[in-house]
Amino acid sequence: INAEYMGFFRTMNLNEAARTNRRHLMFGAVFGEYLGTTFFMFLLCATPSDAVLVPWLAISALAYSLSEVSGAHINPCVTFGSWVGGKISNRKLVAYLVAQFLATITAQGLVLLVKPFDSFSAYADAVVIVPQGPLLKAFAREIVTSAIFLFVIFAVAFDLVPDKPESQVLAYQNPDHGLTLYASNSKSKQGFAPLAIGMTAAALGMAGGCFNPARAYGPVFVTLRFTDSWVFLGDFIGAAIGVGLRKLLKTYLDITHARLLELRQNAEGTRPFANML
């Protein structure tokens, strides 16, 4: 009986230790997300709007710095898309969104602290994003740019391609059927992911999209300039669309990949070979 009681209490202690460790990890992730979003929002709001390389460099640097801590979302759309794609829990969704909102408000305080604005109105004119063109077109632009952004993120930052041991870039050729399949695996893309995401952000910025509600709504809440700010809700719609398109494509690619592997195994004269690109 004593041994059973000892085992029971030992199990309880281990479970409590595991829960405590999870809480610490969760706090670290949320705090890392807060810091990353604060840094990113400060850089975006403190630099000229035509500095298109800032998002590329900032996202790439912060992703490398914080990806192992919080995932370096630094964007409510990325968090929402991760939740839609089943990558994060409900609790982490709420925690990250709150952290990102507080971070963008903090960033506005830092901008006011270090930038020499003549007045608060001058600050508002500099940082508040005003939708360009007809509002419905601006709304559609946010949907499209956010969809592209989340599609790229899910393609390069998650394990979406089967990780096969043959090589980083794999080719299967069947001379009878004339089929060749090239598939970069998940490991070959992870190191390049921050650069790919940063380059995509720079390109989408030149296309005129915001695709980051933290950037749009942080200055809005500080300055209370809410005119036409509903346009940026399209970012969340676009995020869901981008994730859905990538998952649909992934399902199709998985089926095709499985069929081609079966063809390779069964067809006569199949020659596997690997090339590093």
Side-chain angles (χ1 to χ4, degrees), residues 239-258:
I241 293 174
V243 172
L245 289 174
R246 177 58 196 179
K247 290 177 75 69
L248 181 64
L249 178 61
K250 171 61 169 55
T251 301
Y252 172 76
L253 290 176
D254 281 347
I255 295 173
T256 303
H257 186 78

Side-chain angles (χ1 to χ4, degrees), residues 40-47 107-108 111 115 117 126-127 215 219:
F40 186 52
M41 291 303 109
F42 170 77
L43 290 171
L44 288 183
C45 294
T47 53
Q108 301 314 305
V111 172
K115 295 287 286 185
F117 294 111
V127 298
R215 171 64 182 91

Side-chain angles (χ1 to χ4, degrees), residues 8 59 67 87-88 148 182 195 204 235 248 250 260:
F8 174 74
I59 288 179
S67 58
K87 300 297 183 180
I88 63 173
I148 295 172
Y182 290 91
L195 293 176
L204 294 176
D235 294 332
L248 181 64
K250 171 61 169 55
L260 288 172

Side-chain angles (χ1 to χ4, degrees), residues 199-212:
M199 288 187 289
T200 303
L204 294 176
M206 288 187 284
C210 173
F211 56 93
N212 191 329

Side-chain angles (χ1 to χ4, degrees), residues 8-29:
F8 174 74
F9 285 115
R10 188 179 297 111
T11 301
M12 288 186 60
N13 290 334
L14 289 175
N15 290 337
E16 181 61 30
R19 285 193 292 268
T20 301
N21 188 53
R22 284 195 296 269
R23 285 195 292 267
H24 285 309
L25 290 175
M26 182 66 171
F27 175 79

Side-chain angles (χ1 to χ4, degrees), residues 56 60 64 152 156-157 186-200:
W56 175 15
S60 298
Y64 279 121
V152 171
V156 301
S186 57
K187 289 182 179 178
S188 70
K189 296 194 295 184
Q190 288 174 349
F192 182 68
L195 293 176
I197 294 169
M199 288 187 289
T200 303

Side-chain angles (χ1 to χ4, degrees), residues 3-168:
E4 291 180 358
Y5 274 107
M6 289 296 292
F8 174 74
F9 285 115
R10 188 179 297 111
T11 301
M12 288 186 60
N13 290 334
L14 289 175
N15 290 337
E16 181 61 30
R19 285 193 292 268
T20 301
N21 188 53
R22 284 195 296 269
R23 285 195 292 267
H24 285 309
L25 290 175
M26 182 66 171
F27 175 79
V30 173
F31 186 63
E33 187 65 21
Y34 169 79
L35 287 179
T37 306
T38 299
F39 297 158
F40 186 52
M41 291 303 109
F42 170 77
L43 290 171
L44 288 183
C45 294
T47 53
S49 58
D50 58 351
V52 295
L53 289 181
V54 170
W56 175 15
L57 298 175
I59 288 179
S60 298
L62 290 171
Y64 279 121
S65 302
L66 295 169
S67 58
E68 80 283 2
V69 177
S70 67
H73 292 187
I74 58 177
N75 185 335
C77 279
V78 177
T79 299
F80 180 71
S82 299
W83 177 74
V84 170
K87 300 297 183 180
I88 63 173
S89 64
N90 295 340
R91 184 174 64 170
K92 182 169 283 190
L93 168 71
V94 174
Y96 271 32
L97 291 179
V98 171
Q100 289 158 352
F101 175 77
L102 295 177
T104 191
I105 300 299
T106 304
Q108 301 314 305
L110 294 176
V111 172
L112 284 169
L113 178 66
V114 304
K115 295 287 286 185
F117 294 111
D118 295 332
S119 63
F120 187 79
S121 178
Y123 153 77
D125 292 338
V127 298
V128 173
I129 299 177
V130 179
Q132 300 298 314
L135 293 181
L136 288 180
K137 285 185 176 292
F139 183 67
R141 183 165 58 244
E142 294 303 318
I143 293 176
V144 172
T145 54
S146 295
I148 295 172
F149 193 51
L150 265 294
F151 183 92
V152 171
I153 289 175
F154 260 66
V156 301
F158 291 106
D159 292 332
L160 292 177
V161 178
D163 192 356
K164 298 298 178 181
E166 286 88 343
S167 70
Q168 297 298 313

